[in-house]
Amino acid sequence: ATPHLSEHWSALIRRPKVLIICAAGALNYAPVVAILSQTMPIAVGKGLSPATGVGAVSLIGIAALCGTLISGLLVDRFWAPAVAFAVNMISAIGCLALLSGDVHPAMFYGSAFLIGLSQGAELDVVAYMISRYFGLRSYATIYGLSVLTIGLAAAVFTSGIGELYDVFGNYDVAIMAAAGSFALAALCYLLMGRYPEVAPS
């Protein structure tokens, strides 16, 4: 049984679209986790109070719930990669808004909400896309690969945001990297192409 399982995994990771969906999920989810881990110091670095940072953390959680609900409704009606593209680009805009030298608390909260939307959307969209592009036969294995990739990327991003702060003395470069990650995720989702004409079994 073990060799067969190994062959199954090795066969899957040679399929370009499996790698693309794993990369998309990782690039989508990891920057949210990284920013979430540093929301309070980011707020303080922008001249805001620690309480603003705490409020933004809560808002990211609320945004994730909203993202899950909204994306779930939209993927039933529209092409899922387009939904994921839009949500990730919205989160990228949320990151870029934080680069302003003078960030008002309302802008900080708004940016946090836009960033948090993609966290909730990723959970629904990746699961939905795996079923539409690959069917149910290998669903659990592909989803497991995506979760593994997301976990590794989140660990790297969370460590990296602190390293970038140490090097540059602020979070702006890390925030730009997060915006770039969202943009790359958006493009990766589009690379999945059309749904198969006959859904895989």
Side-chain angles (χ1 to χ4, degrees):
T2 303
H4 174 72
L5 181 61
S6 176
E7 289 171 6
H8 183 51
W9 278 66
S10 64
L12 285 174
I13 62 176
R14 288 196 298 269
R15 295 173 63 178
K17 287 192 176 181
V18 171
L19 297 178
I20 290 170
I21 194 67
C22 288
L27 292 166
N28 179 161
Y29 197 87
V32 184
V33 176
I35 290 174
L36 188 60
S37 72
Q38 301 293 318
T39 303
M40 188 184 297
I42 290 172
V44 172
K46 293 296 179 180
L48 303 173
S49 68
T52 301
V54 173
V57 170
S58 300
L59 198 58
I60 289 174
I62 295 170
L65 291 175
C66 293
T68 300
L69 292 172
I70 293 169
S71 63
L73 291 171
L74 291 177
V75 296
D76 285 336
R77 294 165 175 78
F78 303 101
W79 184 48
V83 174
F85 176 88
V87 173
N88 274 270
M89 293 308 295
I90 287 171
S91 291
I93 291 169
C95 287
L96 295 177
L98 292 176
L99 296 175
S100 171
D102 184 20
V103 178
H104 190 274
M107 180 183 290
F108 193 82
Y109 287 137
S111 296
F113 187 84
L114 295 181
I115 292 168
L117 283 175
S118 65
Q119 183 179 25
E122 185 275 337
L123 297 172
D124 268 7
V125 172
V126 168
Y128 179 84
M129 288 176 65
I130 290 172
S131 67
R132 286 300 303 263
Y133 285 95
F134 308 108
L136 299 179
R137 185 175 181 181
S138 299
Y139 179 88
T141 306
I142 297 172
Y143 191 75
L145 284 169
S146 73
V147 170
L148 174 63
T149 308
I150 288 167
L152 292 172
V156 172
F157 275 55
T158 302
S159 173
I161 193 171
E163 295 291 337
L164 288 172
Y165 177 84
D166 290 341
V167 172
F168 295 99
N170 59 59
Y171 287 99
D172 286 353
V173 173
I175 291 169
M176 285 189 285
S181 182
F182 285 126
L184 284 174
L187 293 175
C188 283
Y189 283 119
L190 293 183
L191 289 175
M192 292 297 292
R194 297 180 178 180
Y195 296 138
E197 291 185 11
V198 178
S201 60

